[in-house]
Amino acid sequence: MKGFVIAIDGPAGAGKGTLARRLADYYRLNLLDTGLTYRAVAHMLILKGWPLDDEAHALEAARLVDLGQLDRAVLSAHDVGEAASKVAVIPAVRRALVEKQRAFAATAPGAVLDGRDIGTVVCPQADIKLYLTASAEVRARRRLNEIEEKGGHAEFSEILADIVRRDERDMGRADSPLRPAEDAHLLDTSEMDIEAAFLAAKSIVDDVMAKRGTA
């Protein structure tokens, strides 16, 4: 890998995306939300009218995805997320996207990648591995607050049930299950706001950089 690579893993709602953006901005590194890559495949399948469970079509879509053209506004749609959860379990798609993600990480000056299997599969040699977690209840409350801040409405119980199901699916899948890498730094953000989480992560990164003389 060329440059410095920070891998951030953890379940939905733990704060990975926000922390990844803060770290990428602060250390002037490239940024990749790997979850968007799976959403991009699903979105392409939907646009082309291809079945979500067809491996050949899904693999073709994965090979066509441009990691430099991921539109978060479009890919954040609920139906795209639902479709992505089906696409993400196809091993051939995972292999194709992991190859693209590794190429992204290898580009100077380095990158911050967040997802479910960055430290364990995509970038096992990353300079820093962070694993963010928080209780399911806290993550559900955060999601509900986001929805309400945008003028939407949702039931807390439904969001909580969805998060629990998603955790079980991510942690229980045979291919690249969600789990912390053995050498990952664990951060429980249940009682942290984003600033506290950023400072905790920054302390870890600065310490590694100082020991390597790259600060």
Side-chain angles (χ1 to χ4, degrees), residues 21-213:
R21 288 191 292 275
R22 288 288 300 272
L23 291 173
D25 287 344
Y26 185 83
Y27 293 104
R28 298 183 180 180
L29 298 171
N30 298 318
L31 173 66
L32 179 63
D33 175 350
T34 61
L36 290 182
T37 66
Y38 292 94
R39 284 173 172 261
V41 172
H43 186 245
M44 187 177 296
L45 290 172
I46 292 171
L47 288 180
K48 291 181 176 294
W50 292 344
L52 298 175
D53 58 353
D54 184 280
E55 182 173 317
H57 281 113
L59 179 57
E60 182 178 348
R63 288 171 173 164
L64 291 172
V65 165
D66 182 351
L67 270 56
Q69 301 294 324
L70 301 177
D71 188 335
R72 179 176 295 275
V74 172
L75 300 178
S76 293
H78 181 73
D79 63 326
V80 176
E82 289 295 307
S85 68
K86 298 175 182 177
V87 168
V89 300
I90 301 174
V93 170
R94 298 196 71 84
R95 288 192 294 271
L97 291 181
V98 165
E99 186 177 322
K100 287 175 177 278
Q101 293 160 9
R102 285 175 176 163
F104 184 94
T107 304
V112 180
L113 293 86
D114 81 87
R116 302 288 194 279
D117 60 352
I118 311 304
T120 55
V121 175
V122 180
C123 298
Q125 303 302 319
D127 298 273
I128 301 285
K129 298 176 188 176
L130 302 174
Y131 188 90
L132 268 64
T133 188
S135 71
E137 290 76 14
V138 167
R139 290 183 284 131
R141 179 60 61 188
R142 289 172 180 169
R143 178 59 181 150
L144 179 60
N145 289 342
E146 288 177 1
I147 293 172
E148 292 179 343
E149 286 173 2
K150 295 177 181 178
H153 175 75
E155 294 295 331
F156 176 81
S157 59
E158 293 179 2
I159 295 175
L160 178 59
D162 182 60
I163 282 179
V164 171
R165 283 194 301 270
R166 190 168 177 181
D167 286 351
E168 292 174 346
R169 183 174 65 231
D170 288 341
M171 295 176 183
R173 67 178 178 232
D175 191 0
S176 306
L178 170 63
R179 60 180 176 81
E182 291 184 1
D183 53 348
H185 299 269
L186 303 181
L187 287 179
D188 188 330
T189 67
S190 297
E191 303 298 327
M192 293 183 181
D193 60 14
I194 182 54
E195 188 63 25
F198 170 71
L199 291 175
K202 177 179 176 298
S203 176
I204 293 169
V205 176
D206 287 346
D207 183 55
V208 170
M209 284 184 164
K211 289 177 179 177
R212 296 187 184 181

